[in-house]
Amino acid sequence: MIVSPQSMEFSEPLALRSGASIRGYTLAYETYGTLNAARTNTVLICHALNASHHVAGSYEGQPGSEGWWHTMIGPGKPVDTDRFFVIGVNNLGSCFGSTGPMHVNPDTGKVYGADFPVVTVEDWVDAQARLLDALGIQALAAVMGGSLGGMQALSWTLQYPQRVRNAVVVASAPNLTAENIAFNEVARRAIVTDPDFHGGHFYEHGVIPKRGLRIARMIGHITYLSDDVMNEKFGRQLREGIDLKYSTQDIEFQIESYLRYQGDKFSEYFDANTYLLITRALDYFDPALRHEGNLARALAPATADFLLVSFTTDWRFSPRRSRELVKALLDNRRSVSYAEIDAPHGHDAFLLEDARYLGVVRSYFERVGKEIGQ
Amino acid sequence: MIVSPQSMEFSEPLALRSGASIRGYTLAYETYGTLNAARTNTVLICHALNASHHVAGSYEGQPGSEGWWHTMIGPGKPVDTDRFFVIGVNNLGSCFGSTGPMHVNPDTGKVYGADFPVVTVEDWVDAQARLLDALGIQALAAVMGGSLGGMQALSWTLQYPQRVRNAVVVASAPNLTAENIAFNEVARRAIVTDPDFHGGHFYEHGVIPKRGLRIARMIGHITYLSDDVMNEKFGRQLREGIDLKYSTQDIEFQIESYLRYQGDKFSEYFDANTYLLITRALDYFDPALRHEGNLARALAPATADFLLVSFTTDWRFSPRRSRELVKALLDNRRSVSYAEIDAPHGHDAFLLEDARYLGVVRSYFERVGKEIGQ
């Protein structure tokens, strides 16, 4: 499936949860499949930390350019683009096409940098709803996402219940635990205290806080994998045979080499201010906050049907957190399907090919298709 | 119990596993209790990452100066200094009194800095054995340590089997997992890439790589605690009521405040080169490496009796790793007691007061005392 990115400009200011507003912004998006005549077959895909609107298919003449959820979405795939009209949208504040910190603030004529307003999951959902308005789509057959994307899918059912028939929430949580916030905070401190960060206005200095980005990515990478899969993939394998170098700075173990490579690669393409914004959106998401921590009450507005999926070895968004969501939705008499997949890959499992996982989503979307006669 | 530190100088060079050697070094140590006439009641305590020879008691006129294992060791405590002669020793390369990177290399007349040789668990044990020689102590009633200290206790039973009657190995492992090496590596990269590190010769520049040390400590701190205990202590508590600041850099959650405080404090007193050395010693420890990964074969030289203790929520040195040790020791027909303590505090539990944990150690040391007629 050959795809191409599109973009939509919005001139009407978007009021944000922080009290700030943003105007003159652009959202990058992609669509796959065909909108049916009744306009009822749309599936919106929300992305997680370092992903984008490029969810499925490939770009013309660019081998290896598959979208980040191409195992899940495409012709004949679990979310079948022969039946559904699928939209991937890049969130505000991202560095992959939608308006973000490296763009010019129309109010000042200067690059936003650290002055880009803090955006929340709820703000992203508002922006996505406007994109649907602009595309002439009233209701979603389903909204779907993993991790931070799952938080957006959940928030859709609370902010726009009448516009969502189904929500598919994968490897997600009703909020972050203290440990998750802690990992985000360390990553942010690594970026912010990098001398090349320059208070978030590094663009003007012609530098990039790569040291901080590398550290942030290395931490992230460790926590997205399970201990088991790291042991299986790398274990204590030395890079060069059994002879140790006895050095604190040279690479000795394969895992070190892998992590440094991941950090380097990330620091080449990801924006530091975006990293701060997106991890903060994760921290802030907490629908129960204004309900004295009562999640069941917080989820009362939802009218959608739900599919939740979690993975046994995911320790950042553990099955326990998905079960909290299941419980709170059942307390509200919602229809909930829940699959706990026994997968070794930790949080990353939601992006990987696993027959049982893909099978569950495929079955669910067959039902969704039947509901809308598609 | 009022105690005071002592130190011992060694002029004979110590050959290290790296092939380097170190001469003219000093070991800081403390002793508690009295050596019996038969010289059979010595208990050697080995320390972990950021601890020292100050294991028990307090310093005169310094309230709050209790040793790091004062709940465990002292008069009437599980390791009873009324019965045992207890020695705490600071490892080579540390920054708390023994010769380390901030001292002058007698071969060059310059501060070692990053040129301090890489030291291993085995090297530390050799240095500790020399200290015993100098104190006229041939054999240990017990050697004991937690975490990295447990690795030293284990290594004692392999390097000097005839000198160890009992080994108490708490919250330890036969080697680090890939995930543990990965966390160490991120911490080291944070330090090494701090511009104030100056290739490890920052002393000459009058600066300290505090940014890196802070990040290293924050990562460490997260991984020493359990997810549960972090949720219980901090959860998602905001620092200032329910009103969010919507900022990526200001402190919003209590956990952020706590971590930053821990990082700041650590960066004031811990040496960056020492941090690199000690985490590397952790990475390298792997008695099975020269036995094709066969742990049972690696432990064959041991003749001591063993007590192993692990904690259910410790995810850096999980019970599974202690069970591997138990299995390999039993394969060698060793006498092994093993306690898996159901404690919520993660890896940190080995330093905390827990009646069942302390009770197990107390019982074990009663047996040790009886063996030597003490």
Side-chain angles (χ1 to χ4, degrees), chain A residues 60-360:
Chain A
E60 180 110 54
Q62 292 184 37
S65 67
E66 286 84 10
W68 56 269
W69 224 348
H70 72 102
T71 53
M72 183 64 84
I73 296 157
K77 303 229 169 134
V79 182
D80 188 350
T81 51
D82 291 337
R83 297 170 84 181
F84 295 103
F85 179 63
V86 178
I87 304 176
V89 55
N90 188 216
N91 285 329
L92 271 178
S94 174
C95 50
F96 294 124
S98 292
T99 299
M102 71 281 288
H103 293 116
V104 171
N105 179 349
D107 291 334
T108 65
K110 285 185 170 180
V111 170
Y112 279 109
D115 300 330
F116 195 89
V118 165
V119 280
T120 64
V121 165
E122 290 80 3
D123 296 330
W124 286 334
V125 168
D126 284 344
Q128 291 159 8
R130 284 196 179 179
L131 176 66
L132 293 191
D133 294 342
L135 295 172
I137 295 162
Q138 172 51 31
L140 294 168
V143 59
M144 178 175 184
S147 189
L148 176 56
M151 290 174 167
Q152 294 162 61
L154 179 63
S155 206
W156 258 98
T157 70
L158 307 178
Q159 293 175 246
Y160 300 97
Q162 73 292 356
R163 297 183 77 167
V164 188
R165 288 187 78 107
N166 293 275
V168 179
V169 177
V170 182
S172 196
N175 60 30
L176 291 194
T177 63
E179 187 182 78
N180 270 327
I181 296 174
F183 279 123
N184 283 344
E185 171 68 358
V186 183
R188 281 192 297 265
R189 295 313 290 167
I191 290 170
V192 164
T193 63
D194 183 330
D196 286 337
F197 184 66
H198 293 286
H201 296 284
F202 51 89
Y203 317 102
E204 302 161 22
H205 294 80
V207 292
I208 292 170
K210 286 193 178 182
R211 298 180 200 88
L213 280 165
R214 284 190 196 106
I215 297 295
R217 182 54 168 176
M218 290 169 88
I219 295 170
H221 221 89
I222 298 172
T223 65
Y224 302 146
L225 298 177
S226 70
D227 191 21
D228 282 349
V229 86
M230 281 180 104
N231 280 330
E232 198 184 296
K233 272 174 95 166
F234 305 102
R236 297 182 51 82
Q237 263 179 71
L238 294 164
R239 204 179 180 201
E240 292 170 20
I242 201 174
D243 289 321
L244 301 174
K245 282 185 234 164
Y246 293 102
S247 163
T248 58
Q249 296 188 38
D250 290 348
I251 288 174
E252 192 82 275
F253 297 93
Q254 290 290 9
I255 180 67
E256 297 176 303
S257 168
Y258 173 76
L259 278 182
R260 289 199 200 178
Y261 172 76
Q262 294 294 338
D264 285 348
K265 210 173 62 172
F266 189 71
S267 74
E268 299 287 337
Y269 75 82
F270 209 85
D271 177 68
N273 284 308
T274 292
Y275 201 87
L276 302 184
L277 288 170
I278 297 191
T279 55
R280 211 40 155 171
L282 270 163
D283 292 354
Y284 280 136
F285 183 70
D286 187 12
L289 178 66
R290 311 274 163 201
H291 300 273
E292 288 114 37
N294 187 322
L295 186 61
R297 226 184 312 140
L299 302 191
T303 56
D305 290 348
F306 284 82
L307 169 63
L308 284 92
V309 182
S310 72
F311 301 93
T312 49
T313 56
D314 183 349
W315 57 281
R316 273 199 93 162
F317 292 82
S318 72
R320 185 168 69 171
R321 306 310 315 279
S322 283
R323 279 186 238 125
E324 285 175 43
L325 284 170
V326 170
K327 168 78 167 64
L329 289 165
L330 290 176
D331 285 346
N332 281 296
R333 308 291 179 265
R334 304 275 23 100
S335 162
V336 186
S337 302
Y338 173 54
E340 206 164 291
I341 307 286
D342 187 8
H345 306 94
H347 189 53
D348 259 6
F350 91 86
L351 296 167
L352 302 177
E353 208 155 350
D354 177 295
R356 286 161 307 175
Y357 166 40
L358 297 180
V360 161

Side-chain angles (χ1 to χ4, degrees), chain B residues 161-370:
Chain B
Q162 74 290 357
R163 299 183 75 168
V164 190
R165 287 187 77 106
N166 293 276
V168 180
V169 177
V170 182
S172 197
N175 59 30
L176 291 194
T177 62
E179 187 182 79
N180 270 326
I181 297 173
F183 279 123
N184 282 344
E185 171 69 0
V186 182
R188 281 192 298 265
R189 295 314 292 167
I191 290 169
V192 163
T193 63
D194 183 332
D196 285 338
F197 183 66
H198 292 287
H201 296 284
F202 51 90
Y203 316 102
E204 303 160 21
H205 294 80
V207 293
I208 291 170
K210 287 194 177 181
R211 297 180 201 89
L213 279 165
R214 284 189 196 107
I215 297 296
R217 183 56 167 175
M218 290 168 87
I219 295 170
H221 220 89
I222 298 172
T223 66
Y224 303 148
L225 298 177
S226 70
D227 191 22
D228 281 350
V229 88
M230 282 181 102
N231 280 331
E232 198 182 295
K233 273 174 95 166
F234 306 102
R236 297 183 50 84
Q237 263 178 71
L238 295 164
R239 204 176 178 201
E240 291 168 23
I242 200 174
D243 288 321
L244 301 173
K245 282 185 234 164
Y246 294 102
S247 162
T248 59
Q249 296 188 40
D250 291 347
I251 288 174
E252 193 82 274
F253 297 92
Q254 290 289 9
I255 181 66
E256 297 176 304
S257 169
Y258 172 76
L259 277 183
R260 288 198 202 180
Y261 172 77
Q262 294 294 339
D264 285 347
K265 211 173 61 170
F266 189 71
S267 73
E268 299 287 337
Y269 75 82
F270 208 86
D271 177 68
N273 284 308
T274 292
Y275 201 88
L276 302 183
L277 288 171
I278 297 192
T279 54
R280 211 38 156 170
L282 271 163
D283 292 355
Y284 280 136
F285 183 70
D286 188 13
L289 179 66
R290 310 275 164 200
H291 300 273
E292 286 115 38
N294 187 322
L295 186 61
R297 228 186 308 140
L299 302 191
T303 55
D305 291 348
F306 284 82
L307 169 63
L308 283 93
V309 182
S310 71
F311 301 93
T312 48
T313 56
D314 182 350
W315 56 281
R316 272 199 93 163
F317 291 82
S318 73
R320 185 167 70 170
R321 306 311 315 279
S322 283
R323 279 186 238 126
E324 285 175 43
L325 284 170
V326 170
K327 168 80 168 62
L329 289 166
L330 290 176
D331 285 345
N332 282 296
R333 308 291 179 265
R334 304 271 27 97
S335 162
V336 186
S337 303
Y338 174 53
E340 206 165 294
I341 307 286
D342 186 10
H345 306 95
H347 189 53
D348 260 5
F350 91 86
L351 296 167
L352 302 177
E353 209 157 349
D354 178 294
R356 287 162 306 175
Y357 165 41
L358 296 180
V360 162
V361 176
R362 180 181 292 277
S363 302
Y364 193 84
F365 273 91
E366 269 164 21
R367 196 179 87 180
V368 175
K370 270 189 199 137

